[in-house]
Amino acid sequence: MRFRRFLCLFLVILFLLSTQTAGSARAGADSQDDYSMERARQMLADMTPEERVGQLFLVTFTGSTADTDSQIYDLVMNHHIGGVVLLAENDNFIEGVGALEAAKDLITQLQTYEWQSSLGPTVDPDTGGPAPIQYVPLFIGISQPGGGSPTDQIMSGLTSLPDLMAIGATWDTSLAEQVGGVAGDELSRVGFNLFFGPSLDVLESPEATLGNGLGASVFGGDPFWVAQMGQAYIRGLHTGSEGKMLVVARNFPGRGSTDRPAGEEPATVRKSLEQLKQIELAPFFAVTGNAPDSESTADGLLVSHIRYQGFQGNIRATTRPVSFDSQALAQILSLPEFVSWSQNGGLLVSDDLGSETVRRFYDPGGTSFQARSVARDAFLAGNDLLYLGNIQSSDARDNYETVINILAFFSQKYSEDTAFAQRVDAAVTRILAAKFRLYGSFELNKVTPPVFGLDLVGGSQEITFQVARQAATLVSPDPLDLDALLPEPPGAQDYIVFLTDTRTVAQCSTCTPSPMLGVDDVQNAVMRLYGPQAGGQVNASHLVSYPLDAITPILDGGEGSPALESSLHQADWLVINMLDADPGQPQTSLLRRFLSERQDLLRNKYVIVFAFDAPYYLDSTDISKLTAYYCLYSKSAPFVEVAARLLFQELSPDGALPVSVAGVGYDLFSALTPDPDQVITLSLDLPPAPASTAETTPETTPTPAFRVGDSITVRTGILLDHNGHPVPDGTGVRFTLSMSGEGGLLQSVDAVTTQGVAHASFNIDRPGLLEIRATSEPATVSVILQMDVSGEGFSVTVVAPTPEFGPTATPEVIPTPDLDDLPPVERGIPGLGGWLLMVLLLGGLSPLAYIIGVRTTSLRWGWRWGLCAAGGGLLAYTYLAVRLPGAADFVASFRYVGIGSVVLLGALAGLAAGYAWMWMGKR
């Protein structure tokens, strides 16, 4: 009986394993979501209205400590707020060596307060019963996108990660994932569990939106590549933090087309919903409903204060800021990609409700700002989690009093308005579920950062240097212009003057200001790499550095620095290091004036500009004055070192512009179209796939015996854009099937690329010499698949154009071997090898079935079981040998492994039939 049970169990397991699908991993994530939601509902039932209301809010506070007499202590202990966001502008961080330790201690203290609040009081003062206080961990949020100040909050201790545009310029999603991994690992060790980012804005036309303040804090200007980078970065954040980081992608629904920065009046985007779906919303689709896995999925979306004109069909109608417009936000969230994501627990988080943008919208006169109305409108518009920021009502003394009033207002409305209470309960359930997904269960030791975790923080500069090296871009002259050669690098006798934008920042209001880019940072890097201690390529006395604003007196007609004027006249090389040259920055007009008004100081000099921010601030007139214009996109030490190496041409600029730059005539959309100089490779799409599709040879194109009436599938190789990267998904490709010679077009199939490759299927409905080609504008040349079709099958010949100088090219004909020249198994025939494999397998399986039958039943059934196993295996082999439908393709694809698997399954099926025979006989 044991053997019978074992046999039945074995057959059941075999069947279940054979029906496993790739969706099992996703199903696991879905089951975890269901578990978290169920736990959240159970906890919600035990929470007071005040506790529920508190969970809706992310608050801020001032200072780097949280003593028991502080305002934040009261908000955590007595009002059970949902989370805290730490900001540099609120002096939440200190400067120097102990900055991270102090931040970790502060976060631990806040989480401990929340835990302590759940321990008492033990009696409800209103009912006299036990107080249902629940321990719910705080969200501790931060915006730390990389690139340093002003976008980063912590300026020392962490690894100096690059701006997002630097990652975009590498066109390497693996680097995006690695950078996200470092950020997730280090921030979670400090104690953060809520990350605002990455920015998924698309800078479709940077020059038209120079004032939007995004700079280099976005991946680029193509929705497909922004989506790819965003997925990878989010995946890194999740894996780096080991799933302990709630990732809130910003700035939904996309502010890349806005004309003003956050902090001013609400910006307006003039696009219809269909246009938004193509550009702005596409990256958000990719990290919500269209995300390939849970790790690449954003946990929340930060809803920006953006207005839309023409959004709902009427070109003259303008919405309220979408963060406060329930109808507009609901229309966006009704799109299928967001519906599925929202159903799986995705959170909507309002952008800063205390920002100047919100104040100007609600109170243009600056006299009667009512914060509770703002919070109510944002909540009813559809936001689950409300980021209050440094909000302050006109009638409140400070932010703390304003938050207390908002909490009281929401609690009162909860008790009076059933619909409002239901909306609160739904939002809090989602918030609690998100916290359960982070921790599984709410225990203090799971929530607080590890004691010794900071020992591993700050040591990942190598990844930043790798990004810097691969991102560095030669903007001008065009690197593809062979006539625009760069000069030889500086020599030992050359004089080099460095002018550097030295704007300063400070970690806190009482901290010492420091320059974003030191006045002599690039000079010091040059000396370290090429000075007397490193080969002596430069002479220390021939290098001098000045801040960029030192040229102001010279431009204003004053006397200026005699030393600076002397250095400029003597210089052979003038190296200008610029940060963002936003129109609102005084350094922008200063640099442009210098290039246009003092050309006498530029004459007979090599003028090099290194942009340590976005590349699109200079116009064509500015750039025409330069010998070379490089973009580094970020300003940390690894990028400064790469700039020095570029100056001395030790490194080549391998990056490519991820945004359009009108100043050099670079249009990103055109650059991402297929390179017209490439020859599109084609191959029959047959399993197993060739090791490389970049080159089609006789060895990589085995051709099964197709006949008239069969369908074939053709695939391209990887189509490359003008920068040498795979073209974006959705790039159009046209395949054509025609008769050779003057026979004309027979079939045409339009397809689109996925990961750079397109596929098309054709039905072979006639004999003759047929040809398949492919084009993808502006790439119009492909190899030709020639198929000589007859009633017995066909052979394939690959005709590859051979490039040569002149108006025409002579094709090189590479014959594909006839089917008879291929081994039988590659033609779908088991052959002698398959027959020997069948004999070997059945020679072992049949005796095994005999032994099982004798031991479990009787000698007679042992013989029957052995014969049944042998018969099943022989039938399966016969199916392959006589080449019944599908058999030849299966053998050609899986070869001997496939033959062995089919024979084994046939033998097991025969054994199962024998067992069923015995069971029916006994009945």
Side-chain angles (χ1 to χ4, degrees):
M1 288 296 293
R2 290 181 179 177
F3 279 97
R4 295 180 190 176
R5 291 174 181 173
F6 172 77
L7 180 61
C8 292
L9 180 62
F10 173 76
L11 292 174
V12 170
I13 293 174
L14 181 67
F15 173 77
L16 292 176
L17 289 175
S18 67
T19 59
Q20 286 291 320
T21 65
S24 60
R26 183 68 229 179
D30 291 342
S31 64
Q32 182 184 8
D33 291 341
D34 293 341
Y35 172 77
S36 299
M37 290 296 288
E38 182 59 31
R39 291 288 305 275
R41 294 188 187 98
Q42 293 173 2
M43 174 164 278
L44 180 75
D46 294 330
M47 297 176 73
T48 66
E50 290 74 18
E51 287 180 276
R52 300 181 188 192
V53 165
Q55 286 298 311
L56 299 174
F57 298 99
L58 296 172
V59 304
T60 60
F61 68 99
T62 302
S64 57
T65 59
D67 299 329
T68 54
D69 59 350
S70 64
Q71 295 174 342
I72 189 61
Y73 174 85
D74 179 61
L75 290 174
V76 173
M77 287 290 293
N78 301 320
H79 299 279
H80 311 289
I81 44 108
V84 176
V85 178
L86 301 185
L87 300 171
E89 68 177 280
N90 285 349
D91 293 345
N92 294 144
F93 306 103
I94 65 173
E95 64 179 338
V97 177
L100 292 186
E101 192 70 41
K104 189 186 82 166
D105 291 344
L106 173 61
I107 292 171
T108 301
Q109 192 175 30
L110 292 172
Q111 294 287 16
T112 303
Y113 287 158
E114 176 59 32
W115 175 75
Q116 290 174 346
S117 73
S118 67
L119 303 180
T122 58
V123 178
D124 189 320
D126 295 328
T127 65
I133 299 176
Q134 301 293 315
Y135 169 53
V136 182
L138 296 168
F139 281 135
I140 307 293
I142 190 171
S143 175
Q144 189 82 6
S149 181
T151 54
D152 283 350
Q153 304 304 312
I154 302 176
M155 301 178 195
S156 61
L158 299 172
T159 297
S160 298
L161 295 176
D163 283 282
L164 298 186
M165 191 173 288
I167 304 172
T170 69
W171 302 86
D172 188 341
T173 55
S174 68
L175 288 178
E177 183 171 353
Q178 291 178 60
V179 172
V182 172
D185 174 57
E186 295 190 350
L187 290 172
S188 64
R189 290 180 183 277
V190 179
F192 293 99
N193 58 15
L194 174 62
F195 185 89
F196 291 117
S199 167
L200 298 182
D201 300 300
V202 180
L203 280 181
E204 182 185 11
S205 180
E207 287 76 17
T209 55
L210 274 178
N212 64 15
L214 292 174
S217 64
V218 299
F219 287 114
D222 179 75
F224 169 77
W225 280 106
V226 171
Q228 294 293 298
M229 292 293 180
Q231 284 180 350
Y233 196 95
I234 291 171
R235 187 162 56 248
L237 285 166
H238 281 141
T239 57
S241 65
E242 298 182 347
K244 300 297 190 297
M245 187 73 72
L246 192 91
V247 180
V248 181
R250 56 192 313 170
N251 298 287
F252 181 76
R255 51 181 296 257
S257 297
T258 59
D259 57 354
R260 65 195 67 183
E264 297 183 2
E265 294 180 356
T268 301
V269 174
R270 293 171 176 82
K271 287 189 176 183
S272 67
L273 182 59
E274 287 304 313
Q275 292 173 310
L276 293 174
K277 288 162 62 176
Q278 294 295 319
I279 305 295
E280 278 81 0
L281 291 175
F284 293 100
F285 290 158
V287 300
T288 52
N290 288 348
D293 49 54
S294 58
E295 286 77 16
S296 306
T297 303
D299 304 291
L301 299 176
L302 190 72
V303 185
S304 293
H305 310 308
I306 306 170
R307 308 180 73 172
Y308 290 92
Q309 184 176 353
F311 167 75
Q312 294 161 314
N314 185 346
I315 62 172
R316 293 177 175 81
T318 302
T319 69
R320 304 181 76 202
V322 71
S323 50
F324 303 107
D325 193 322
S326 59
Q327 183 178 359
L329 189 56
Q331 187 172 350
I332 296 174
L333 294 176
S334 67
L335 297 172
E337 294 82 359
F338 296 132
V339 169
S340 60
W341 171 78
S342 181
Q343 290 173 345
N344 288 324
L347 289 174
L348 290 184
V349 184
S350 76
D351 205 345
D352 183 356
L353 298 180
S355 67
E356 186 65 22
T357 299
V358 176
R359 295 192 71 90
R360 292 190 182 189
F361 177 73
Y362 273 88
D363 182 24
T367 57
S368 58
F369 181 72
Q370 295 298 318
R372 62 184 188 180
S373 298
V374 172
R376 178 202 60 201
D377 291 352
F379 181 65
L380 294 179
N383 295 285
D384 301 301
L385 194 58
L386 304 179
Y387 173 28
L388 295 180
N390 294 330
I391 195 168
Q392 182 175 349
S393 291
S394 299
D395 56 356
R397 288 171 295 182
D398 55 18
N399 169 256
Y400 167 73
E401 184 177 329
T402 302
V403 173
I404 294 295
N405 292 339
I406 292 173
L407 292 169
F409 173 72
F410 268 64
S411 296
Q412 180 179 356
K413 194 166 180 61
Y414 184 97
S415 62
E416 296 174 348
D417 188 335
T418 303
F420 186 83
Q422 291 174 346
R423 171 76 182 97
V424 170
D425 289 348
V428 174
T429 301
R430 296 157 72 86
I431 293 168
L432 293 175
K435 292 183 177 182
F436 273 118
R437 284 194 292 272
L438 290 179
Y439 298 113
S441 60
F442 295 162
E443 301 169 28
L444 184 62
N445 63 336
K446 287 185 176 182
V447 174
T448 53
V451 176
F452 302 106
L454 296 185
D455 296 341
L456 302 176
V457 171
S460 300
Q461 287 297 104
E462 179 57 36
I463 180 63
T464 302
F465 182 77
Q466 188 176 351
V467 171
R469 189 175 61 226
Q470 293 184 219
T473 305
L474 178 60
V475 182
S476 176
D478 186 344
L480 300 179
D481 185 355
L482 299 179
D483 296 327
L485 298 177
L486 292 173
E488 292 295 320
Q493 301 306 313
D494 288 343
Y495 285 84
I496 309 176
V497 174
F498 299 91
L499 294 176
T500 302
D501 185 345
T502 56
R503 276 172 274 173
T504 60
V505 293
Q507 176 65 80
C508 62
S509 61
T510 60
C511 297
T512 304
S514 58
M516 299 185 200
L517 191 62
V519 64
D520 54 0
D521 280 359
V522 180
Q523 177 183 333
N524 291 340
V526 168
M527 284 298 299
R528 179 170 54 84
L529 296 170
Y530 307 105
Q533 305 302 319
Q537 282 183 255
V538 296
N539 188 328
S541 63
H542 291 183
L543 307 183
V544 62
S545 296
Y546 297 93
L548 181 60
D549 55 14
I551 64 175
T552 303
I554 298 176
L555 297 177
D556 292 342
E559 294 188 354
S561 167
L564 173 57
E565 292 203 49
S566 175
S567 297
L568 290 175
H569 283 292
Q570 189 178 13
D572 300 296
W573 293 77
L574 178 58
V575 179
I576 302 173
N577 306 307
M578 57 180 278
L579 299 174
D580 71 281
D582 190 279
Q585 297 292 345
Q587 290 82 0
T588 302
S589 60
L590 189 64
L591 176 59
R592 287 181 166 169
R593 286 182 59 196
F594 179 64
L595 293 176
S596 62
E597 297 175 15
R598 293 307 304 267
Q599 296 187 40
D600 59 305
L601 296 177
L602 308 179
R603 195 172 298 119
N604 300 322
K605 293 177 178 59
Y606 298 122
V607 182
I608 311 295
V609 167
F610 289 114
F612 290 92
D613 201 271
Y616 47 75
Y617 294 113
L618 300 183
D619 60 26
S620 57
T621 303
D622 301 325
I623 297 173
S624 67
K625 310 289 192 351
L626 309 178
T627 306
Y629 177 29
Y630 293 93
C631 192
L632 282 303
Y633 307 96
S634 204
K635 53 187 176 292
S636 61
F639 291 88
V640 172
E641 178 177 329
V642 167
R645 294 181 185 274
L646 289 172
L647 180 63
F648 284 82
Q649 298 179 26
E650 180 183 335
L651 291 180
S652 59
D654 295 330
L657 289 166
V659 291
S660 298
V661 178
V664 293
Y666 178 83
D667 177 65
L668 182 63
F669 178 80
S670 300
L672 296 183
T673 59
D675 183 357
D677 295 332
Q678 68 186 306
V679 175
I680 301 173
T681 60
L682 298 175
S683 61
L684 293 180
D685 195 4
L686 304 171
S692 172
T693 58
E695 182 179 345
T696 307
T697 65
E699 289 74 23
T700 62
T701 316
T703 311
F706 291 112
R707 294 176 174 82
V708 174
D710 287 348
S711 293
I712 63 168
T713 299
V714 179
R715 61 180 289 159
T716 67
I718 297 178
L719 298 181
L720 302 178
D721 63 23
H722 288 67
N723 293 323
H725 306 114
V727 296
D729 284 4
T731 299
V733 179
R734 170 161 291 188
F735 295 84
T736 58
L737 174 67
S738 59
M739 294 292 295
S740 181
E742 302 297 328
L745 180 67
L746 300 178
Q747 298 178 43
S748 175
V749 176
D750 290 323
V752 295
T753 59
T754 301
Q755 297 182 344
V757 177
H759 301 74
S761 296
F762 293 98
N763 182 46
I764 307 302
D765 58 0
R766 67 189 68 192
L769 187 61
L770 306 179
E771 295 180 346
I772 296 178
R773 296 177 172 84
T775 60
S776 182
E777 294 292 342
T780 58
V781 179
S782 76
V783 300
I784 304 169
L785 292 184
Q786 275 191 351
M787 300 178 294
D788 190 1
V789 183
S790 65
E792 301 299 323
F794 62 80
S795 61
V796 176
T797 300
V798 180
V799 182
T802 302
E804 61 178 41
F805 297 101
T808 60
T810 304
E812 175 188 359
V813 180
I814 307 173
T816 301
D818 291 336
L819 298 179
D820 293 337
D821 295 335
L822 297 173
V825 73
E826 294 187 16
R827 292 181 276 134
I829 303 172
L832 178 61
W835 182 83
L836 290 174
L837 178 62
M838 180 270 296
V839 171
L840 180 64
L841 287 173
L842 294 185
L845 290 172
S846 296
L848 179 62
Y850 167 78
I851 293 171
I852 293 173
V854 169
R855 289 188 177 183
T856 58
T857 55
S858 63
L859 178 65
R860 179 179 61 178
W861 282 107
W863 280 106
R864 290 177 178 177
W865 284 13
L867 290 173
C868 285
L874 283 171
L875 284 174
Y877 176 79
T878 303
Y879 173 82
L880 300 178
V882 300
R883 307 179 73 189
L884 292 175
D889 288 345
F890 181 83
V891 172
S893 301
F894 299 102
R895 305 190 182 183
Y896 293 116
V897 173
I899 295 171
S901 300
V902 169
V903 172
L904 176 61
L905 290 173
L908 291 174
L911 180 59
Y915 181 81
W917 179 15
M918 181 190 71
W919 184 75
M920 293 294 294
K922 288 187 176 182
R923 292 191 62 184

